[in-house]
Amino acid sequence: MRILVISDIHANYTAFEAVLAHSAGAWDFVWCLGDVVGYGPDPNECVDRLKALPQLCLAGNHDWAALNRLDVRTFNPDARRAVEWTRETLTQENTRWLEALPVTFVIGEYTLVHASPREPIWEYILEPSIATLNFPHFETPYCFVGHTHQPVIYTLADESADAASALPHYDEPHTLNGQRQIINPGSIGQPRDQNPDAAYGILDIGSGVFEHRRIPYDVQAVQQRMLDFNMPERLITRLEHGL
Ligand code: ZN
């Protein structure tokens, strides 16, 4: 069984389609780590496309914000405007689909969450010390997270030391060797590692091999749709910088 591991599509249908085209034939099932909507111009298109695939999807903070489950006063003004637009734009059917998403999921050797094992909706694992604090909060060898929009692998080689972080080597197989790891595939729709290309991963469960991948997409087409919808300028320009 080969899994397409994706996260943080953020209503960017063009990037999502680019990933699906680039990965065609390489997977049998999809694990989506949440934030299907929020920020981008195509929330319904992304939900419709995803739910038609063989998939398991987790809830993210932006999905919850679009459902009114979070107080958006904690969001910055641009994110809040995008949340309110998303809320008004989502169809009732897609809102109900988002409402049913689980917060954590454990399948075989893998724990899936949007943000972190101890705070599945909120916590950003941006450094090894935070990753270290999270290893006691899941029982499987491996955990996939999204939320930071930055692809990375944290490895806990020694329970008495901090986890080590490693940036991905794209298109190279990374063998899961039993050492406990927290793996972030990166973001499809709004990368924040100064690389605007859409990020995703392929996991081969049978051989225990994971591969990070990157693919460019038509950023300008997405920016034009965001302009048409009068979305905040900062959200439009950040896409071309990967910030
Ligand atoms: Zn996100």
Side-chain angles (χ1 to χ4, degrees), residues 87-150:
R87 209 177 271 163
E88 291 160 14
T89 304
L90 276 171
T91 64
Q92 238 180 36
E93 188 190 338
N94 287 338
T95 299
R96 274 199 295 272
W97 186 82
L98 291 170
E99 278 170 354
L101 300 180
V103 168
T104 60
F105 205 90
V106 179
I107 179 165
E109 294 189 299
Y110 304 90
T111 298
L112 314 179
V113 295
H114 175 64
S116 82
R118 65 175 182 176
E119 285 282 349
I121 295 291
W122 276 116
E123 186 178 35
Y124 291 90
I125 306 183
L126 282 164
E127 50 188 290
S129 61
I130 305 295
T132 305
L133 293 171
N134 269 283
F135 277 98
H137 292 267
F138 66 101
E139 291 176 2
T140 57
Y142 313 109
C143 178
F144 282 103
V145 301
H147 194 42
T148 65
H149 301 201
Q150 297 180 0

Side-chain angles (χ1 to χ4, degrees), residues 8 10 35 61-62 114 147 149 192:
D8 298 277
H10 280 296
D35 278 6
N61 55 316
H62 281 263
H114 175 64
H147 194 42
H149 301 201
R192 291 181 196 160

